[in-house]
Amino acid sequence: MAPKLSTAQSSSAASSKPTKATPQSPLPSSFSALFKAYTQNTSSRLKFIDAFLVFLMASGILQFVYCVLVTNFPFNAFLAGFSSTVGQFVLTASLRQQVNPENKLEFKEVSHERAFADFVVGSIVLHFFVYNFLG
Amino acid sequence: MAAPHTPFLNPGKSASSTGDSVLVILEPAKKAEYSIFLAGLEKKGYSVTLRAPKEEQPLVIEDGVPNFSHVMLLASDTKNFAKDINPQSLVQLLSLGTNLVLTLGLKQNLLTSLAPEFSLLLPPPATPLVSFFPERSDSPTVIPIDVSSQSIPNDTFSVLSSQVNGKVWFSGTPFALNSNPLVFPILHAPVESFAADLSDGSGLVSDALADASEKGGEGLWAGSSLAVVAGFQTLIGGGTGHGADAGPGEDQQARAVWVGGASLFTDEFANKKVVEKVVQERGMKVVENPSGNKQAALEIAGWAFQERGVLRIDEVTHHKVNQTGPVEMYTTNDEIVYTIRISSFNPLTKKWEPYSGLKDLQLEFTMLDPHIRTSLPPVSGKPGTYSTTFRAPDRHGVFKFAISHKRKGFTHLHHTLSVPVVPPRHDGYPRFLSAAWPYYAGAISTSVGFLLFCVIYIAGEAKEEKKSKKE
């Protein structure tokens, strides 16, 4: 636990740097600065969670586009597929919030293990409903 | 005396499908005038009972039950009848399933007041049908009517068959037919004929014609749109094989025939020769042909007594396509097979025989409105069977299979059968549709992604823990 805490402190200290820099720099460079800060200051664990979030978002957008452009015919299937991505996104985002060292103060009594267990149980319940509804 | 009325039991020894007993209401003095016709009826197996118009017995209806299967009023010139013969009792007879043959006279009596109830429009009293064509030695009121020139619509049963050879002598009053769909002409008046009063000598006829032509033909009863014999089929019941929706006792349809003059049935007209001039190579030749009255009288009475044109529904079945047994309920969009078997009575063999002759039978699948109306064609190779396949509408509710076949001269066929049509059950819908594969893939990829995520996350945690332990 101790090393984690130290990384959190260091990352929070580092992240304060680009926020200061953005007002002076033009728009493209602010994006690159943001990206740089993200790649540098985010722990690999959070990056991995973010990658999963991006995948879920892409999957949801694809399904929505297919529904709008091609067919929504088995509407229950669309709802199941789309809500599985949305639900998984929400659960994963909650996990990210709880394991983010920056939010340590807010989730004092929630350990990482507890957060992950909540995430797994919530996901299993979600998938149970999704496959029931997929028809 | 009279056999008890047996509505639609096994046909008896007569040619009729509804019973053997006939009551003929006739002045006893005139019995000899109708001997050929009455003998013809008895030869067909009918038990004929005669009753004078003013005689009290036998009653036509006793304790609400008709005493006879058929009643024939040949006493057309009688003014007063016995108490139990009145318009009300005649209509009651029809509703009880007794067939009637009613003959009109030139004088007014109860039948002239009853006729409008059957949508017959009578000319003023004492105006017989008159025709001066063809040229003949008889009185202009005694008219030969050509049966073969009568035009009968396709969907109408032709009461006078091709066995009626020769012209039919007629003398009496014609009538026009109102638009009532239940009444239809059996024998039309000739084109040249008209109704006029001849009692004051034939000179007045031309006056009447002249007056009428001045008025533009108004008030003149003339031409072939007039009928001299008309048939009427009652609506009550389905006659035969009625569905479960019919009440008991109401399954008997009756027929009534109106004849403009009772003389059509007489021996005099049956024996009267029709004198015709035939054009030959060397001038004209006078030929005497027998009249068609004998056969026509029996066929007119035979139609009224339900010998011919009698149909019944034997059996109605329905099931899903590719299944045999009946089902309690159908699902929307099911393919349904509906089959009906129809018989017709054969007066010669006195048996019901399968009948495939209906070309315009229709089936309706109704819930308030007919959602489906389809033709019900005869099945080739299966006599008397009519079948069709149709898709149940995409609508759930209680539907009815309805057959309603009403054609002039035929027994009306009416049959309804209710079946529920339900939406598919929760597991009755199609599954694994190709259109839904993106959604399935989305859900599966989410689950797989979740599992992978968990594995990698836990692996990462273990690594970190190792690291922390090392440190």
Side-chain angles (χ1 to χ4, degrees):
Chain A
M1 278 293 159
K4 250 186 213 168
L5 200 95
S6 67
T7 48
Q9 272 167 347
S10 67
S11 74
S12 68
S15 63
S16 62
K17 235 186 255 169
T19 40
K20 269 179 202 164
T22 36
Q24 294 133 14
S25 46
L27 208 62
S29 65
S30 71
F31 271 118
S32 64
L34 178 68
F35 184 72
K36 206 178 162 194
Y38 175 77
T39 48
Q40 281 179 354
N41 301 330
T42 314
S43 70
S44 61
R45 176 162 301 259
L46 290 186
K47 277 183 189 160
F48 176 56
I49 293 177
D50 288 340
F52 189 47
L53 289 175
V54 168
F55 161 72
L56 288 174
M57 208 155 85
S59 168
I61 288 170
L62 274 178
Q63 287 179 57
F64 189 76
V65 166
Y66 178 80
C67 172
V68 170
L69 295 184
V70 186
T71 174
N72 68 351
F73 160 51
F75 195 62
N76 58 319
F78 164 71
L79 287 180
F82 188 68
S83 58
S84 85
T85 58
V86 171
Q88 192 66 65
F89 186 93
V90 169
L91 288 169
T92 316
S94 313
L95 177 71
R96 189 188 190 283
Q97 250 182 348
Q98 292 181 21
V99 300
N100 195 342
E102 280 181 54
N103 299 337
K104 182 104 188 140
L105 291 174
E106 215 172 314
F107 300 104
K108 260 184 210 148
E109 64 275 20
V110 182
S111 68
H112 285 190
E113 288 76 10
R114 167 69 196 277
F116 184 69
D118 283 351
F119 164 74
V120 169
V121 170
S123 299
I124 287 171
V125 171
L126 171 74
H127 288 268
F128 175 77
F129 281 105
V130 162
Y131 285 101
N132 262 303
F133 206 58
L134 199 62
Chain B
M1 195 179 55
H5 182 66
T6 51
F8 195 67
L9 285 180
N10 226 11
K13 55 187 174 8
S14 76
S16 163
S17 62
T18 58
D20 304 337
S21 53
V22 184
L23 177 69
V24 177
I25 298 172
L26 180 65
E27 292 287 357
K30 288 188 175 175
K31 193 197 166 190
E33 290 180 25
Y34 297 92
S35 62
I36 291 179
F37 173 69
L38 295 177
L41 281 188
E42 270 167 355
K43 198 183 161 199
K44 274 187 174 182
Y46 291 100
S47 59
V48 179
T49 310
L50 285 177
R51 176 182 162 185
K54 281 172 189 154
E55 212 175 297
E56 296 293 335
Q57 292 289 331
L59 291 170
V60 287
I61 302 173
E62 210 168 342
D63 304 329
V65 179
N67 264 330
F68 300 91
S69 305
H70 321 285
V71 172
M72 204 166 172
L73 246 94
L74 285 178
S76 56
D77 289 331
T78 309
K79 183 93 179 147
N80 297 311
F81 288 85
K83 273 205 307 288
D84 69 316
I85 300 170
N86 51 47
Q88 289 75 21
S89 71
L90 292 177
V91 169
Q92 198 192 347
L93 275 177
L94 274 182
S95 61
L96 289 169
T98 303
N99 305 304
L100 298 180
V101 176
L102 305 168
T103 55
L104 291 162
L106 291 177
K107 292 174 196 161
Q108 244 177 330
N109 63 5
L110 65 93
L111 292 181
T112 44
S113 58
L114 181 62
E117 304 293 328
F118 290 79
S119 292
L120 306 185
L121 302 173
L122 298 183
T127 50
L129 190 69
V130 173
S131 175
F132 294 99
F133 298 93
E135 189 188 350
R136 61 193 185 276
S137 56
D138 310 291
S139 149
T141 60
V142 177
I143 301 161
I145 298 175
D146 194 356
V147 175
S148 59
S149 69
Q150 305 270 326
S151 65
I152 292 148
N154 271 336
D155 58 349
T156 301
F157 182 77
S158 67
V159 173
L160 295 174
S161 71
S162 56
Q163 288 176 34
V164 180
N165 293 315
K167 295 185 174 177
V168 173
W169 287 106
F170 175 79
S171 173
T173 177
F175 38 80
L177 302 178
N178 233 333
S179 57
N180 188 332
L182 300 178
V183 71
F184 70 103
I186 291 174
L187 193 59
H188 287 282
V191 184
E192 311 90 357
S193 62
F194 56 95
D197 188 358
L198 281 183
S199 55
D200 297 333
S202 57
L204 281 175
V205 170
S206 55
D207 287 355
L209 279 180
D211 289 351
S213 66
E214 268 172 27
K215 284 188 224 159
E218 201 187 321
L220 184 69
W221 298 70
S224 61
S225 60
L226 291 177
V228 297
V229 181
F232 187 96
Q233 168 99 46
T234 63
L235 262 185
I236 297 163
T240 45
H242 211 38
D245 300 8
E250 284 202 25
D251 57 348
Q252 184 74 23
Q253 284 176 26
R255 288 171 175 181
V257 162
W258 286 86
V259 184
S263 52
L264 191 138
F265 298 99
T266 54
D267 298 357
E268 187 199 343
F269 279 6
N271 294 327
K272 192 174 168 68
K273 296 277 187 253
V274 181
V275 180
E276 280 174 300
K277 285 177 180 153
V278 181
V279 183
Q280 283 188 328
E281 281 177 43
R282 293 174 208 158
M284 309 276 267
K285 189 191 170 194
V286 174
V287 183
E288 283 199 345
N289 289 324
S291 75
N293 275 53
K294 186 186 169 190
Q295 181 68 20
L298 284 176
E299 286 191 359
I300 288 168
W303 181 83
F305 296 169
Q306 306 215 16
E307 290 177 11
R308 296 182 306 129
V310 184
L311 304 175
R312 79 171 180 199
I313 296 170
D314 288 334
E315 190 191 15
V316 169
T317 55
H318 57 92
H319 58 85
K320 281 190 206 172
V321 160
N322 299 330
Q323 291 182 11
T324 46
V327 286
E328 263 179 44
M329 53 182 69
Y330 289 101
T331 308
T332 53
N333 296 327
D334 268 355
E335 293 283 329
I336 302 178
V337 180
Y338 180 90
T339 310
I340 189 166
R341 288 203 294 113
I342 292 173
S343 292
S344 141
F345 185 74
N346 185 337
L348 301 175
T349 58
K350 291 159 194 165
K351 283 198 176 94
W352 290 90
E353 291 172 358
Y355 183 70
S356 290
L358 299 180
K359 302 285 180 248
D360 52 358
L361 197 60
Q362 286 189 332
L363 170 70
E364 284 177 359
F365 198 54
T366 62
M367 182 169 66
L368 296 181
D369 296 317
H371 283 59
I372 306 263
R373 181 184 284 139
T374 178
S375 68
L376 202 53
V379 179
S380 61
K382 284 186 190 168
T385 305
Y386 300 77
S387 184
T388 191
T389 304
F390 65 94
R391 201 188 74 165
D394 196 3
R395 197 69 206 278
H396 64 270
V398 176
F399 280 83
K400 270 196 295 192
F401 293 108
I403 295 277
S404 183
H405 185 263
K406 297 187 176 74
R407 297 294 179 272
K408 288 166 180 177
F410 285 105
T411 316
H412 300 147
L413 296 175
H414 183 75
H415 187 275
T416 56
L417 199 62
S418 302
V419 285
V421 174
V422 297
R425 298 176 66 101
H426 73 282
D427 58 351
Y429 290 94
R431 310 189 74 176
F432 307 118
L433 305 163
S434 57
W437 272 111
Y439 306 132
Y440 300 153
I444 291 167
S445 68
T446 308
S447 302
V448 171
F450 163 70
L451 287 175
L452 282 175
F453 177 82
C454 288
V455 169
I456 296 171
Y457 192 91
I458 292 167
E461 195 134 298
K463 221 188 239 173
E464 272 179 29
E465 233 147 82
K466 259 186 205 167
K467 257 189 213 167
S468 66
K469 269 182 192 169
K470 272 181 190 171
E471 281 171 27

